[in-house]
Amino acid sequence: MIRLYSKIMHGLERLGLFWVFSVDVFKWTFRRPRRFQLLTAQIEHMGVASVPIIVLSSFAIGMIMSLQLINVLGLFRSEPLAGAAVGITMARELAPVITALMLIAKNGSAITAEIGSMRISEQIDAMETMSVHPIQYLVVPRVWAAVIVFPILTALANVIGIAGSYAVSVWYKSVDRASYLFELYRMVNPKDVYSGIIKAAVLGLIVGLISSFYGYYVKGGSKAVGDAATSSVVAASVSILIADFIMTDILLKVMFG
Amino acid sequence: MQNTDTIIEIEELSKSFGTFGVLDDINISFQSKQITAILGKSGSGKSVLMKNIIGILEPDRGKIKIDGTNIVPLPEKQRREYRRKIGYLFQDSALFDSMTVEENIAFPLVEVLHMRDQRAIRKVVQEKLDWVQLSGIENKYPDELSGGMRKRVALARSLAGEPEVLLFDEPTTGLDPVLEESINSLIQRVNHELGMTCIIITHDIVGSFQLAHKIAFLDEGKIQVEGTPENVADVAHPVLQKFLENSFIAAHRTMDNMELL
């Protein structure tokens, strides 16, 4: 009972610390000096370097979804609807969530490990001794790079996912090309795409904050950095799924209600 | 900064971590343009004291006066302005491992002194590297350097910020005797040539007695002994005398072995 109580208290303390950390990130975003070169460097590192994995994963998901859907839609002789189904699902849900999960694994753990290593080797302390606030220098560019990069990569995932679906449906399963494209353009609404982009930006914010938080407050040695990287991936993954549920509920009412 | 005798003054400073008390009512002053060495057992709180001065830790109680102003109650922004006058050399150098030597030394030039002219920055970096006798390594990364080279690059980086006080956290720990001597002579040059106040935490008792104008001995959370090396050597504090005995006996043994050879 006492162990449970202290676990709950520890969890609440961490949550409080995360809240304070997030508020600090927002405060330091607007304070001078503004370091746009750091932001662009992070956008390149997070975004450009992630294009291959996003292309690969979204193409694969588009292909697999089409295979499964054509199997089911075939029972109702509605195979041409596969494109529309993939388009809506990718735009509203899969593109933002899969992109976020891929980038948590690729970039989130790297952010935690990098900042965590800097913490244990006193590089963050060194920055503070030079009156450079480490949250402003290290965390702010990474968080806002994630907010910018996630929607862009989500948009790319949308396009590539549909390309994968087209390849399987039209080339492999011989679905009529004109019918496929007609249903795709008829049923996929710009609102589907916008809702996915909005989700992606919020998920980027969550992933950027959580990954940086776990690295920033590492205590101990290299094992602690490894543990923090693992914990940040788990925490970020669970958080984005919870956030996705909440946002889906809100967006369905606001945009599609 | 005004040219007063006392540049940093610590009054009644206390610091604990949970129930574990580390510093208890510390009172010590550091004179301008002098070298002060702080000695003490491992875990006695020397680094904690330094980190309170530089602002990495906040004291539970007490005053830290820089140029007569107690900076503890000041807002964060004003404290940062005062702390820009103090440089800190970490025990493990704490160089930014994703940056080259040039970028490391340029960091305070850009972030503290707000220099923008790349040519001027490169010139200053070159000067600092020449001063620590490490020219030609601008494009190397910290993991390509030896321990002694990292310490000298870290010193060059600290000097680039143009501080008035430099804190050294065990600058010679883990170095061979030749490097120890070269780091000690660098500290002397920093003090004599650049007129900087130097505060050193060290276990190098022999070196500190040769180098420092003032020695302070920290034990059980308090400054137990403070004074010139000659005065401190005569104080009958049992722990301090044990320190001095062991260090000077070891030094004599080394000299005797060399004579035998």
Side-chain angles (χ1 to χ4, degrees):
Chain A
M1 196 67 194
I2 293 169
R3 228 185 286 174
L4 177 65
Y5 173 79
S6 64
K7 269 198 168 170
I8 292 170
M9 289 310 294
H10 178 73
L12 288 172
E13 273 174 26
R14 287 286 278 183
L15 216 57
L17 189 61
F18 178 73
W19 171 253
V20 170
F21 176 81
S22 305
V23 168
D24 276 344
V25 171
F26 280 106
K27 273 194 331 211
W28 280 104
T29 300
F30 300 105
R31 287 194 195 169
R32 291 177 187 276
R34 295 194 193 107
R35 299 179 174 94
F36 291 111
Q37 323 94 284
L38 294 179
L39 175 65
T40 52
Q42 285 301 321
I43 288 172
E44 196 207 341
H45 180 66
M46 257 189 235
V48 174
S50 302
V51 164
I53 187 70
I54 297 299
V55 163
L56 217 66
S57 53
S58 49
F59 195 78
I61 286 163
M63 285 170 62
I64 294 161
M65 276 198 71
S66 270
L67 264 179
Q68 293 284 12
L69 281 167
I70 285 170
N71 211 27
V72 173
L73 290 169
L75 299 171
F76 307 97
R77 294 189 192 277
S78 304
E79 293 90 338
L81 288 171
V86 169
I88 292 170
T89 320
M90 284 295 288
R92 287 192 196 181
E93 283 303 328
L94 286 187
V97 173
I98 299 295
T99 299
L101 287 172
M102 286 289 153
L103 293 181
I104 286 169
K106 182 184 172 293
N107 293 321
S109 56
I111 289 172
T112 306
E114 188 182 355
I115 296 179
S117 299
M118 292 183 77
R119 171 63 78 189
I120 65 167
S121 58
E122 296 182 307
Q123 291 176 56
I124 289 181
D125 289 345
M127 225 171 257
E128 289 212 50
T129 65
M130 289 182 257
S131 297
V132 173
H133 202 291
I135 285 182
Q136 190 186 33
Y137 193 89
L138 295 174
V139 178
V140 164
R142 284 164 173 78
V143 167
W144 294 109
V147 171
I148 292 167
V149 156
F150 273 46
I152 297 172
L153 290 174
T154 296
L156 178 66
N158 277 334
V159 171
I160 302 297
I162 290 169
S165 163
Y166 181 92
V168 164
S169 304
V170 175
W171 295 342
Y172 182 52
K173 288 290 185 182
S174 307
V175 170
D176 177 57
R177 180 179 168 276
S179 307
Y180 177 94
L181 290 173
F182 175 76
E183 295 298 342
L184 176 69
Y185 287 119
R186 187 174 74 92
M187 297 202 68
V188 178
N189 203 297
K191 281 186 194 175
D192 299 318
V193 178
Y194 301 152
S195 69
I197 299 293
I198 291 168
K199 272 189 193 172
V202 174
L203 296 182
L205 180 67
I206 292 170
V207 170
L209 285 172
I210 289 176
S211 308
S212 304
F213 171 76
Y214 272 86
Y216 196 77
Y217 288 107
V218 156
K219 278 184 188 152
S222 41
K223 185 179 183 300
V225 174
D227 290 343
T230 308
S231 301
S232 85
V233 168
V234 170
S237 305
V238 169
S239 301
I240 64 154
L241 294 174
I242 295 170
D244 183 50
F245 176 81
I246 296 168
M247 283 191 290
T248 301
D249 191 37
I250 295 170
L251 287 167
L252 280 173
K253 287 172 185 154
V254 168
M255 291 181 99
F256 304 98
Chain B
M1 206 180 247
Q2 290 173 333
N3 190 14
T4 56
D5 262 353
T6 300
I7 199 167
I8 295 176
E9 196 169 352
I10 311 294
E11 285 180 14
E12 296 169 5
L13 190 137
S14 297
K15 179 70 186 172
S16 302
F17 295 98
T19 53
F20 182 65
V22 177
L23 301 175
D24 177 23
D25 221 32
I26 297 277
N27 291 284
I28 184 169
S29 59
F30 301 98
Q31 274 60 53
S32 178
K33 299 187 196 303
Q34 290 204 340
I35 302 174
T36 305
I38 302 178
L39 311 178
K41 292 185 291 191
S42 298
S44 58
K46 305 184 294 297
S47 293
V48 171
L49 175 60
M50 296 278 249
K51 287 179 178 177
N52 272 279
I53 295 172
I54 194 61
I56 295 170
L57 295 172
E58 298 252 345
D60 297 332
R61 229 177 9 95
K63 296 179 184 175
I64 300 171
K65 289 184 179 175
I66 298 176
D67 256 358
T69 304
N70 178 19
I71 64 167
V72 173
L74 293 181
E76 179 63 28
K77 202 175 174 188
Q78 281 182 41
R79 266 187 284 163
R80 281 180 183 279
E81 289 306 314
Y82 275 95
R83 284 183 169 132
R84 279 186 185 183
K85 298 169 182 173
I86 305 175
Y88 193 102
L89 194 60
F90 287 80
Q91 187 177 343
D92 292 323
S93 308
L95 294 176
F96 303 128
D97 50 23
S98 60
M99 298 182 193
T100 60
V101 165
E102 181 173 356
E103 287 164 345
N104 263 279
I105 298 170
F107 187 88
L109 298 175
V110 173
E111 302 295 341
V112 180
L113 302 180
H114 305 298
M115 286 176 72
R116 291 287 172 258
D117 182 350
Q118 290 302 317
R119 242 185 286 179
I121 290 170
R122 242 176 262 127
K123 187 165 177 276
V124 173
V125 167
Q126 198 54 62
E127 278 168 13
K128 299 304 174 199
L129 281 174
D130 287 343
W131 202 88
V132 298
Q133 296 156 357
L134 274 181
S135 309
I137 63 160
E138 292 86 343
N139 296 322
K140 287 193 184 287
Y141 282 88
D143 64 335
E144 297 174 83
L145 307 176
S146 67
M149 290 167 85
R150 280 201 290 270
K151 283 237 195 279
R152 283 188 281 165
V153 171
L155 177 59
R157 183 178 69 180
S158 300
L159 294 175
E162 295 181 359
E164 294 178 42
V165 181
L166 257 185
L167 310 185
F168 295 82
D169 189 349
E170 299 196 32
T172 57
T173 298
L175 300 182
D176 61 69
V178 173
L179 269 173
E180 241 180 53
E181 168 62 34
S182 85
I183 296 294
N184 281 336
S185 74
L186 269 175
I187 295 172
Q188 213 160 35
R189 284 182 61 206
V190 163
N191 177 248
H192 292 168
E193 288 177 30
L194 304 178
M196 277 187 205
T197 306
C198 299
I199 303 170
I200 313 168
I201 298 172
T202 184
H203 287 136
D204 177 11
I205 313 295
V206 174
S208 61
F209 269 71
Q210 289 168 348
L211 206 56
H213 300 99
K214 178 170 149 178
I215 305 270
F217 181 67
L218 179 60
D219 191 43
E220 291 181 0
K222 289 190 189 305
I223 300 289
Q224 303 285 350
V225 177
E226 192 181 340
T228 62
E230 299 78 19
N231 293 345
V232 163
D234 289 335
V235 172
H237 188 284
V239 180
L240 173 63
Q241 286 305 319
K242 195 80 188 156
F243 251 61
L244 300 180
E245 214 179 281
N246 287 348
S247 304
F248 284 102
I249 286 171
H252 277 294
R253 277 206 191 112
T254 308
M255 294 303 297
D256 289 342
N257 288 339
M258 283 173 64
E259 280 170 14
L260 280 172
L261 294 170

